[in-house]
Amino acid sequence: RLLDALHQSSPTTFQSKTVLELGCGTGLASIACAKLGASHVIATDANAEVLELAKRNIERNDVSSIVDTAALQWGAMDASEYFNVADIIIGSDLTYNSGSWVALAETMSTILKENGIVIYLSLGHSGFNVSGEMGGFLSVAGNVGLRVLTVENVDLKNVVGNLSSAEEVVSRVVTSEERNVIDANGGVRVVFLGKKKILRKG
């Protein structure tokens, strides 16, 4: 739903882009990106069985000419094979384990192009608060060269279109009834990340 909401607001969000999904699971988000106009999608996961399932779903949806599957362990060294590859990185519910934050952030920073965008969704669950989790992860991400983008950012504007805030993005993704349940179980947050700009002298 998040990807579709972004596409409806800005139909060129995924058009002719290279997209890499972290923790692809069944591959449905990667399939959606292909159907929304991406030129190349790489669905990654560390689990071989998960990748096999994703590959079958990709083939069933006739997007195997656009979507590839690939094994990827997080961390700067492992991600270096995909250095500067992705216009857009997508992922959801990857930050529940604080022990993986550095490796995940390094992976994003390594793979993302200079003006690329990370689209990240986190849903809470019982006994788990999204705000605390995301605050910790974003602090780590900032230390490896990533920054939170607001809708005023020109790179992000091409992704979110006429949406005025990340909160409005959330409102497009979940109904009010769903929001009540989600808020009672830790909340929901959509975050957009980009690379920090390097100031060059001269």
Side-chain angles (χ1 to χ4, degrees), residues 98-155:
S98 61
S100 69
W101 287 351
V102 172
L104 174 59
E106 286 179 347
T107 299
M108 290 176 172
S109 183
T110 300
I111 292 170
L112 197 64
K113 288 184 179 179
E114 193 67 33
N115 295 313
I117 305 286
V118 177
I119 302 171
Y120 182 69
L121 169 70
S122 184
L123 285 169
H125 52 78
S126 184
F128 178 83
N129 185 275
V130 164
S131 294
E133 166 211 353
M134 286 307 303
F137 172 69
L138 293 177
S139 176
V140 169
N143 291 332
V144 297
L146 295 172
R147 63 190 175 118
V148 176
L149 300 178
T150 62
V151 293
E152 292 80 19
N153 181 277
V154 63
D155 296 327

Side-chain angles (χ1 to χ4, degrees), residues 21-193:
E21 182 179 9
L22 296 172
C24 68
T26 59
L28 296 184
S30 288
I31 292 166
C33 287
K35 291 181 178 291
L36 293 174
S39 59
H40 185 207
V41 183
I42 307 168
T44 71
D45 206 286
N47 187 309
E49 291 181 3
V50 167
L51 285 174
E52 192 57 40
L53 172 61
K55 188 173 183 178
R56 289 199 297 270
N57 286 332
I58 289 161
E59 290 170 350
R60 288 189 188 113
N61 282 271
D62 297 320
V63 290
S64 53
S65 63
I66 299 171
V67 185
D68 294 318
T69 57
L72 178 63
Q73 298 285 344
W74 295 344
M77 288 296 292
D78 290 295
S80 61
E81 182 180 349
Y82 299 98
F83 177 73
N84 213 29
V85 159
D87 298 296
I88 297 173
I89 294 173
I90 60 173
S92 65
D93 296 324
L94 304 174
T95 47
Y96 54 86
N97 178 5
S98 61
S100 69
W101 287 351
V102 172
L104 174 59
E106 286 179 347
T107 299
M108 290 176 172
S109 183
T110 300
I111 292 170
L112 197 64
K113 288 184 179 179
E114 193 67 33
N115 295 313
I117 305 286
V118 177
I119 302 171
Y120 182 69
L121 169 70
S122 184
L123 285 169
H125 52 78
S126 184
F128 178 83
N129 185 275
V130 164
S131 294
E133 166 211 353
M134 286 307 303
F137 172 69
L138 293 177
S139 176
V140 169
N143 291 332
V144 297
L146 295 172
R147 63 190 175 118
V148 176
L149 300 178
T150 62
V151 293
E152 292 80 19
N153 181 277
V154 63
D155 296 327
L156 185 56
K157 204 67 183 171
N158 294 329
V159 173
V160 300
N162 60 7
L163 297 175
S164 61
S165 66
E167 181 60 31
E168 185 179 352
V169 175
V170 171
S171 71
R172 297 282 187 96
V173 175
V174 297
T175 66
S176 57
E177 291 81 7
E178 289 172 331
R179 186 64 184 266
N180 290 335
V181 174
I182 290 169
D183 285 347
N185 287 280
V188 58
R189 189 157 175 199
V190 175
V191 175
F192 302 98
L193 300 173

